[in-house]
Amino acid sequence: MSFLKRAPRGQSGLIHDIDPVDAQWTYVGFRAYRLQAGDSITEQTGDREVILVLIEGLATVRSRDRQFGELGERMSVFEALSPHAVYIPNDNAWFATATTQCTIAICSAPGFGNHPAARIDNIKAEDRGQGTNLRHIFPIAMEDRDIADSLLVTEVFTPAGHWSSYPPHRHDEDDFPRMTYLEETYYHRLNPACGFGIQRVFTEDGSLDETIAVNDHDVVLVPRGHHPCAAPHGYELYYLNVMAGPLRKWRFQNHPDHDWISRQA
């Protein structure tokens, strides 16, 4: 199996636990829980900030110093309703209790104490691309929102038969404003769940070139290179992106062979 692909560890409880040491990089961490109603979890943030995303289902959430009440709206991620999310800074803690069956993602990166615990509101849908490159975005915490020290987090819904994270692009050089170095994880979901998607992670010099079949709940690591995705006919593809690096900016370069696609009218 590819080092870049992580299958879920089980059907319930902590299904993903990816930290920078495990990923062999520096910034991004990703954890995911699948809980039954009544299950409770708590974690200390330590030196890392986190964004909790209610992928589906309902849960009550609080930090050490704030109560957020019951979060969540969509019972299936493919209802494509606006996600519910909260930001928890470093040197804090969070607590969650499922009130229905739910899936919670925990996105993490280095925190520096510049932002308080807060609910992330007004996450509005956007469309990106055209034709079979059209996809639907919920930008949870991108750089236009000054709500985190390091984290960039977004959701993407790719219709069946469409491409996403396309044209192929990379953000693996610390050369702002031309490009920013950002590690990235993709947490994938399929509808119907028996389906599969395709993700290719590759560099222009060929030193990394992997084409990965992703199943429901798989995570793909993107340490460098281009990383387009495809959803086969009959299957919708969802993914949650987590990015972080030395600068909280998203600047990328399209693959030179395919950049013409972005310039089409």
PDB file of all heavy atoms in Angstrom, residues 178-203:
ATOM      1  N   ARG A 178       5.174  34.112  -4.919  1.00  0.00           N
ATOM      2  CA  ARG A 178       4.983  33.219  -6.061  1.00  0.00           C
ATOM      3  C   ARG A 178       4.306  31.921  -5.637  1.00  0.00           C
ATOM      4  O   ARG A 178       3.406  31.421  -6.317  1.00  0.00           O
ATOM      5  CB  ARG A 178       6.335  32.914  -6.710  1.00  0.00           C
ATOM      6  CG  ARG A 178       6.247  32.039  -7.958  1.00  0.00           C
ATOM      7  CD  ARG A 178       7.636  31.709  -8.487  1.00  0.00           C
ATOM      8  NE  ARG A 178       8.334  30.781  -7.617  1.00  0.00           N
ATOM      9  CZ  ARG A 178       8.288  29.454  -7.731  1.00  0.00           C
ATOM     10  NH1 ARG A 178       7.534  28.895  -8.675  1.00  0.00           N
ATOM     11  NH2 ARG A 178       8.963  28.675  -6.913  1.00  0.00           N
ATOM     12  N   MET A 179       4.730  31.367  -4.501  1.00  0.00           N
ATOM     13  CA  MET A 179       4.212  30.094  -4.026  1.00  0.00           C
ATOM     14  C   MET A 179       4.449  30.008  -2.524  1.00  0.00           C
ATOM     15  O   MET A 179       5.392  30.620  -2.006  1.00  0.00           O
ATOM     16  CB  MET A 179       4.910  28.917  -4.732  1.00  0.00           C
ATOM     17  CG  MET A 179       4.252  27.566  -4.507  1.00  0.00           C
ATOM     18  SD  MET A 179       5.189  26.164  -5.213  1.00  0.00           S
ATOM     19  CE  MET A 179       5.347  26.658  -6.937  1.00  0.00           C
ATOM     20  N   THR A 180       3.576  29.279  -1.837  1.00  0.00           N
ATOM     21  CA  THR A 180       3.784  28.994  -0.421  1.00  0.00           C
ATOM     22  C   THR A 180       3.928  27.493  -0.218  1.00  0.00           C
ATOM     23  O   THR A 180       3.305  26.703  -0.930  1.00  0.00           O
ATOM     24  CB  THR A 180       2.627  29.521   0.439  1.00  0.00           C
ATOM     25  OG1 THR A 180       1.368  29.135  -0.143  1.00  0.00           O
ATOM     26  CG2 THR A 180       2.690  31.034   0.557  1.00  0.00           C
ATOM     27  N   TYR A 181       4.739  27.131   0.786  1.00  0.00           N
ATOM     28  CA  TYR A 181       4.902  25.727   1.140  1.00  0.00           C
ATOM     29  C   TYR A 181       3.768  25.332   2.068  1.00  0.00           C
ATOM     30  O   TYR A 181       3.636  25.875   3.179  1.00  0.00           O
ATOM     31  CB  TYR A 181       6.245  25.497   1.830  1.00  0.00           C
ATOM     32  CG  TYR A 181       6.372  24.092   2.378  1.00  0.00           C
ATOM     33  CD1 TYR A 181       6.746  23.042   1.533  1.00  0.00           C
ATOM     34  CD2 TYR A 181       6.090  23.808   3.711  1.00  0.00           C
ATOM     35  CE1 TYR A 181       6.840  21.744   2.027  1.00  0.00           C
ATOM     36  CE2 TYR A 181       6.182  22.507   4.202  1.00  0.00           C
ATOM     37  CZ  TYR A 181       6.544  21.489   3.358  1.00  0.00           C
ATOM     38  OH  TYR A 181       6.620  20.211   3.827  1.00  0.00           O
ATOM     39  N   LEU A 182       2.946  24.405   1.634  1.00  0.00           N
ATOM     40  CA  LEU A 182       1.813  23.930   2.421  1.00  0.00           C
ATOM     41  C   LEU A 182       1.726  22.409   2.322  1.00  0.00           C
ATOM     42  O   LEU A 182       1.568  21.861   1.228  1.00  0.00           O
ATOM     43  CB  LEU A 182       0.498  24.540   1.918  1.00  0.00           C
ATOM     44  CG  LEU A 182       0.333  26.054   2.063  1.00  0.00           C
ATOM     45  CD1 LEU A 182      -0.876  26.530   1.263  1.00  0.00           C
ATOM     46  CD2 LEU A 182       0.181  26.441   3.536  1.00  0.00           C
ATOM     47  N   GLU A 183       1.836  21.742   3.461  1.00  0.00           N
ATOM     48  CA  GLU A 183       1.495  20.328   3.532  1.00  0.00           C
ATOM     49  C   GLU A 183      -0.029  20.212   3.482  1.00  0.00           C
ATOM     50  O   GLU A 183      -0.750  21.146   3.851  1.00  0.00           O
ATOM     51  CB  GLU A 183       2.023  19.746   4.836  1.00  0.00           C
ATOM     52  CG  GLU A 183       3.524  19.885   4.990  1.00  0.00           C
ATOM     53  CD  GLU A 183       3.991  19.794   6.427  1.00  0.00           C
ATOM     54  OE1 GLU A 183       3.143  19.706   7.342  1.00  0.00           O
ATOM     55  OE2 GLU A 183       5.211  19.835   6.640  1.00  0.00           O
ATOM     56  N   GLU A 184      -0.525  19.054   3.052  1.00  0.00           N
ATOM     57  CA  GLU A 184      -1.984  18.945   2.869  1.00  0.00           C
ATOM     58  C   GLU A 184      -2.451  17.510   3.080  1.00  0.00           C
ATOM     59  O   GLU A 184      -1.785  16.554   2.674  1.00  0.00           O
ATOM     60  CB  GLU A 184      -2.365  19.422   1.468  1.00  0.00           C
ATOM     61  CG  GLU A 184      -3.847  19.512   1.218  1.00  0.00           C
ATOM     62  CD  GLU A 184      -4.167  20.237  -0.078  1.00  0.00           C
ATOM     63  OE1 GLU A 184      -3.259  20.391  -0.936  1.00  0.00           O
ATOM     64  OE2 GLU A 184      -5.321  20.657  -0.237  1.00  0.00           O
ATOM     65  N   THR A 185      -3.604  17.378   3.724  1.00  0.00           N
ATOM     66  CA  THR A 185      -4.291  16.094   3.791  1.00  0.00           C
ATOM     67  C   THR A 185      -5.639  16.207   3.100  1.00  0.00           C
ATOM     68  O   THR A 185      -6.274  17.263   3.111  1.00  0.00           O
ATOM     69  CB  THR A 185      -4.506  15.616   5.246  1.00  0.00           C
ATOM     70  OG1 THR A 185      -5.225  16.616   5.974  1.00  0.00           O
ATOM     71  CG2 THR A 185      -3.189  15.324   5.918  1.00  0.00           C
ATOM     72  N   TYR A 186      -6.072  15.090   2.512  1.00  0.00           N
ATOM     73  CA  TYR A 186      -7.398  14.941   1.907  1.00  0.00           C
ATOM     74  C   TYR A 186      -8.127  13.824   2.639  1.00  0.00           C
ATOM     75  O   TYR A 186      -7.681  12.672   2.603  1.00  0.00           O
ATOM     76  CB  TYR A 186      -7.280  14.537   0.438  1.00  0.00           C
ATOM     77  CG  TYR A 186      -7.009  15.638  -0.549  1.00  0.00           C
ATOM     78  CD1 TYR A 186      -5.807  16.347  -0.535  1.00  0.00           C
ATOM     79  CD2 TYR A 186      -7.947  15.963  -1.532  1.00  0.00           C
ATOM     80  CE1 TYR A 186      -5.547  17.337  -1.459  1.00  0.00           C
ATOM     81  CE2 TYR A 186      -7.697  16.949  -2.467  1.00  0.00           C
ATOM     82  CZ  TYR A 186      -6.500  17.639  -2.420  1.00  0.00           C
ATOM     83  OH  TYR A 186      -6.253  18.623  -3.342  1.00  0.00           O
ATOM     84  N   TYR A 187      -9.233  14.159   3.301  1.00  0.00           N
ATOM     85  CA  TYR A 187     -10.103  13.142   3.894  1.00  0.00           C
ATOM     86  C   TYR A 187     -11.260  12.927   2.928  1.00  0.00           C
ATOM     87  O   TYR A 187     -12.058  13.832   2.686  1.00  0.00           O
ATOM     88  CB  TYR A 187     -10.605  13.613   5.259  1.00  0.00           C
ATOM     89  CG  TYR A 187     -11.763  12.808   5.819  1.00  0.00           C
ATOM     90  CD1 TYR A 187     -11.609  11.457   6.140  1.00  0.00           C
ATOM     91  CD2 TYR A 187     -13.001  13.396   6.024  1.00  0.00           C
ATOM     92  CE1 TYR A 187     -12.677  10.726   6.653  1.00  0.00           C
ATOM     93  CE2 TYR A 187     -14.071  12.680   6.548  1.00  0.00           C
ATOM     94  CZ  TYR A 187     -13.900  11.347   6.858  1.00  0.00           C
ATOM     95  OH  TYR A 187     -14.964  10.624   7.358  1.00  0.00           O
ATOM     96  N   HIS A 188     -11.345  11.723   2.351  1.00  0.00           N
ATOM     97  CA  HIS A 188     -12.276  11.446   1.260  1.00  0.00           C
ATOM     98  C   HIS A 188     -13.537  10.730   1.740  1.00  0.00           C
ATOM     99  O   HIS A 188     -13.480   9.855   2.602  1.00  0.00           O
ATOM    100  CB  HIS A 188     -11.605  10.552   0.212  1.00  0.00           C
ATOM    101  CG  HIS A 188     -10.548  11.229  -0.596  1.00  0.00           C
ATOM    102  ND1 HIS A 188     -10.833  12.043  -1.664  1.00  0.00           N
ATOM    103  CD2 HIS A 188      -9.191  11.211  -0.496  1.00  0.00           C
ATOM    104  CE1 HIS A 188      -9.708  12.478  -2.204  1.00  0.00           C
ATOM    105  NE2 HIS A 188      -8.694  11.991  -1.508  1.00  0.00           N
ATOM    106  N   ARG A 189     -14.660  11.090   1.118  1.00  0.00           N
ATOM    107  CA  ARG A 189     -15.914  10.360   1.284  1.00  0.00           C
ATOM    108  C   ARG A 189     -16.522  10.119  -0.092  1.00  0.00           C
ATOM    109  O   ARG A 189     -16.367  10.947  -1.008  1.00  0.00           O
ATOM    110  CB  ARG A 189     -16.887  11.152   2.149  1.00  0.00           C
ATOM    111  CG  ARG A 189     -16.392  11.400   3.569  1.00  0.00           C
ATOM    112  CD  ARG A 189     -16.286  10.122   4.383  1.00  0.00           C
ATOM    113  NE  ARG A 189     -17.568   9.442   4.478  1.00  0.00           N
ATOM    114  CZ  ARG A 189     -18.494   9.753   5.398  1.00  0.00           C
ATOM    115  NH1 ARG A 189     -18.277  10.702   6.289  1.00  0.00           N
ATOM    116  NH2 ARG A 189     -19.638   9.092   5.424  1.00  0.00           N
ATOM    117  N   LEU A 190     -17.230   8.993  -0.234  1.00  0.00           N
ATOM    118  CA  LEU A 190     -17.869   8.626  -1.495  1.00  0.00           C
ATOM    119  C   LEU A 190     -19.357   8.424  -1.295  1.00  0.00           C
ATOM    120  O   LEU A 190     -19.797   7.949  -0.251  1.00  0.00           O
ATOM    121  CB  LEU A 190     -17.261   7.334  -2.041  1.00  0.00           C
ATOM    122  CG  LEU A 190     -15.954   7.390  -2.838  1.00  0.00           C
ATOM    123  CD1 LEU A 190     -16.103   8.231  -4.087  1.00  0.00           C
ATOM    124  CD2 LEU A 190     -14.786   7.847  -1.996  1.00  0.00           C
ATOM    125  N   ASN A 191     -20.140   8.768  -2.301  1.00  0.00           N
ATOM    126  CA  ASN A 191     -21.587   8.541  -2.304  1.00  0.00           C
ATOM    127  C   ASN A 191     -21.991   7.953  -3.647  1.00  0.00           C
ATOM    128  O   ASN A 191     -21.875   8.633  -4.666  1.00  0.00           O
ATOM    129  CB  ASN A 191     -22.344   9.843  -2.057  1.00  0.00           C
ATOM    130  CG  ASN A 191     -23.841   9.625  -1.942  1.00  0.00           C
ATOM    131  OD1 ASN A 191     -24.290   8.620  -1.421  1.00  0.00           O
ATOM    132  ND2 ASN A 191     -24.612  10.570  -2.463  1.00  0.00           N
ATOM    133  N   PRO A 192     -22.461   6.683  -3.656  1.00  0.00           N
ATOM    134  CA  PRO A 192     -22.596   5.731  -2.556  1.00  0.00           C
ATOM    135  C   PRO A 192     -21.239   5.321  -1.984  1.00  0.00           C
ATOM    136  O   PRO A 192     -20.214   5.396  -2.662  1.00  0.00           O
ATOM    137  CB  PRO A 192     -23.310   4.542  -3.199  1.00  0.00           C
ATOM    138  CG  PRO A 192     -23.947   5.074  -4.444  1.00  0.00           C
ATOM    139  CD  PRO A 192     -23.028   6.140  -4.920  1.00  0.00           C
ATOM    140  N   ALA A 193     -21.277   4.866  -0.723  1.00  0.00           N
ATOM    141  CA  ALA A 193     -20.043   4.575  -0.007  1.00  0.00           C
ATOM    142  C   ALA A 193     -19.250   3.433  -0.615  1.00  0.00           C
ATOM    143  O   ALA A 193     -18.053   3.286  -0.341  1.00  0.00           O
ATOM    144  CB  ALA A 193     -20.355   4.268   1.455  1.00  0.00           C
ATOM    145  N   CYS A 194     -19.874   2.600  -1.437  1.00  0.00           N
ATOM    146  CA  CYS A 194     -19.173   1.473  -2.062  1.00  0.00           C
ATOM    147  C   CYS A 194     -18.290   1.913  -3.219  1.00  0.00           C
ATOM    148  O   CYS A 194     -17.582   1.094  -3.811  1.00  0.00           O
ATOM    149  CB  CYS A 194     -20.171   0.432  -2.550  1.00  0.00           C
ATOM    150  SG  CYS A 194     -21.349   1.063  -3.785  1.00  0.00           S
ATOM    151  N   GLY A 195     -18.320   3.191  -3.562  1.00  0.00           N
ATOM    152  CA  GLY A 195     -17.576   3.679  -4.713  1.00  0.00           C
ATOM    153  C   GLY A 195     -16.095   3.890  -4.429  1.00  0.00           C
ATOM    154  O   GLY A 195     -15.566   3.507  -3.384  1.00  0.00           O
ATOM    155  N   PHE A 196     -15.430   4.519  -5.380  1.00  0.00           N
ATOM    156  CA  PHE A 196     -14.028   4.867  -5.232  1.00  0.00           C
ATOM    157  C   PHE A 196     -13.771   6.147  -6.009  1.00  0.00           C
ATOM    158  O   PHE A 196     -14.529   6.522  -6.905  1.00  0.00           O
ATOM    159  CB  PHE A 196     -13.102   3.744  -5.724  1.00  0.00           C
ATOM    160  CG  PHE A 196     -13.176   3.501  -7.213  1.00  0.00           C
ATOM    161  CD1 PHE A 196     -12.294   4.120  -8.075  1.00  0.00           C
ATOM    162  CD2 PHE A 196     -14.143   2.641  -7.742  1.00  0.00           C
ATOM    163  CE1 PHE A 196     -12.373   3.910  -9.455  1.00  0.00           C
ATOM    164  CE2 PHE A 196     -14.222   2.416  -9.115  1.00  0.00           C
ATOM    165  CZ  PHE A 196     -13.338   3.051  -9.973  1.00  0.00           C
ATOM    166  N   GLY A 197     -12.713   6.827  -5.645  1.00  0.00           N
ATOM    167  CA  GLY A 197     -12.230   7.980  -6.390  1.00  0.00           C
ATOM    168  C   GLY A 197     -10.775   7.742  -6.749  1.00  0.00           C
ATOM    169  O   GLY A 197     -10.162   6.753  -6.321  1.00  0.00           O
ATOM    170  N   ILE A 198     -10.227   8.650  -7.529  1.00  0.00           N
ATOM    171  CA  ILE A 198      -8.840   8.550  -7.959  1.00  0.00           C
ATOM    172  C   ILE A 198      -8.119   9.843  -7.587  1.00  0.00           C
ATOM    173  O   ILE A 198      -8.632  10.939  -7.827  1.00  0.00           O
ATOM    174  CB  ILE A 198      -8.726   8.327  -9.474  1.00  0.00           C
ATOM    175  CG1 ILE A 198      -9.377   6.998  -9.879  1.00  0.00           C
ATOM    176  CG2 ILE A 198      -7.267   8.370  -9.924  1.00  0.00           C
ATOM    177  CD1 ILE A 198      -8.688   5.761  -9.343  1.00  0.00           C
ATOM    178  N   GLN A 199      -6.936   9.713  -6.998  1.00  0.00           N
ATOM    179  CA  GLN A 199      -6.083  10.878  -6.761  1.00  0.00           C
ATOM    180  C   GLN A 199      -4.666  10.549  -7.204  1.00  0.00           C
ATOM    181  O   GLN A 199      -4.126   9.481  -6.861  1.00  0.00           O
ATOM    182  CB  GLN A 199      -6.093  11.284  -5.286  1.00  0.00           C
ATOM    183  CG  GLN A 199      -5.282  12.555  -5.033  1.00  0.00           C
ATOM    184  CD  GLN A 199      -5.684  13.281  -3.767  1.00  0.00           C
ATOM    185  OE1 GLN A 199      -6.180  12.692  -2.816  1.00  0.00           O
ATOM    186  NE2 GLN A 199      -5.470  14.585  -3.761  1.00  0.00           N
ATOM    187  N   ARG A 200      -4.089  11.463  -7.959  1.00  0.00           N
ATOM    188  CA  ARG A 200      -2.700  11.308  -8.383  1.00  0.00           C
ATOM    189  C   ARG A 200      -1.858  12.354  -7.663  1.00  0.00           C
ATOM    190  O   ARG A 200      -2.236  13.533  -7.600  1.00  0.00           O
ATOM    191  CB  ARG A 200      -2.577  11.489  -9.899  1.00  0.00           C
ATOM    192  CG  ARG A 200      -1.161  11.247 -10.430  1.00  0.00           C
ATOM    193  CD  ARG A 200      -1.065  11.536 -11.920  1.00  0.00           C
ATOM    194  NE  ARG A 200       0.296  11.306 -12.410  1.00  0.00           N
ATOM    195  CZ  ARG A 200       0.772  11.765 -13.573  1.00  0.00           C
ATOM    196  NH1 ARG A 200      -0.019  12.480 -14.378  1.00  0.00           N
ATOM    197  NH2 ARG A 200       2.025  11.529 -13.931  1.00  0.00           N
ATOM    198  N   VAL A 201      -0.733  11.952  -7.097  1.00  0.00           N
ATOM    199  CA  VAL A 201       0.219  12.860  -6.452  1.00  0.00           C
ATOM    200  C   VAL A 201       1.544  12.700  -7.196  1.00  0.00           C
ATOM    201  O   VAL A 201       2.135  11.611  -7.191  1.00  0.00           O
ATOM    202  CB  VAL A 201       0.390  12.531  -4.959  1.00  0.00           C
ATOM    203  CG1 VAL A 201       1.353  13.523  -4.304  1.00  0.00           C
ATOM    204  CG2 VAL A 201      -0.961  12.534  -4.237  1.00  0.00           C
ATOM    205  N   PHE A 202       2.012  13.776  -7.836  1.00  0.00           N
ATOM    206  CA  PHE A 202       3.197  13.634  -8.680  1.00  0.00           C
ATOM    207  C   PHE A 202       3.965  14.939  -8.785  1.00  0.00           C
ATOM    208  O   PHE A 202       3.387  16.029  -8.700  1.00  0.00           O
ATOM    209  CB  PHE A 202       2.812  13.132 -10.077  1.00  0.00           C
ATOM    210  CG  PHE A 202       2.010  14.108 -10.910  1.00  0.00           C
ATOM    211  CD1 PHE A 202       2.598  14.804 -11.962  1.00  0.00           C
ATOM    212  CD2 PHE A 202       0.656  14.323 -10.654  1.00  0.00           C
ATOM    213  CE1 PHE A 202       1.854  15.690 -12.749  1.00  0.00           C
ATOM    214  CE2 PHE A 202      -0.087  15.203 -11.438  1.00  0.00           C
ATOM    215  CZ  PHE A 202       0.517  15.890 -12.488  1.00  0.00           C
ATOM    216  N   THR A 203       5.267  14.823  -8.957  1.00  0.00           N
ATOM    217  CA  THR A 203       6.131  15.977  -9.153  1.00  0.00           C
ATOM    218  C   THR A 203       6.503  16.087 -10.628  1.00  0.00           C
ATOM    219  O   THR A 203       6.432  15.112 -11.378  1.00  0.00           O
ATOM    220  CB  THR A 203       7.410  15.869  -8.315  1.00  0.00           C
ATOM    221  OG1 THR A 203       8.084  14.646  -8.641  1.00  0.00           O
ATOM    222  CG2 THR A 203       7.076  15.875  -6.822  1.00  0.00           C
TER     223      THR A 203
END
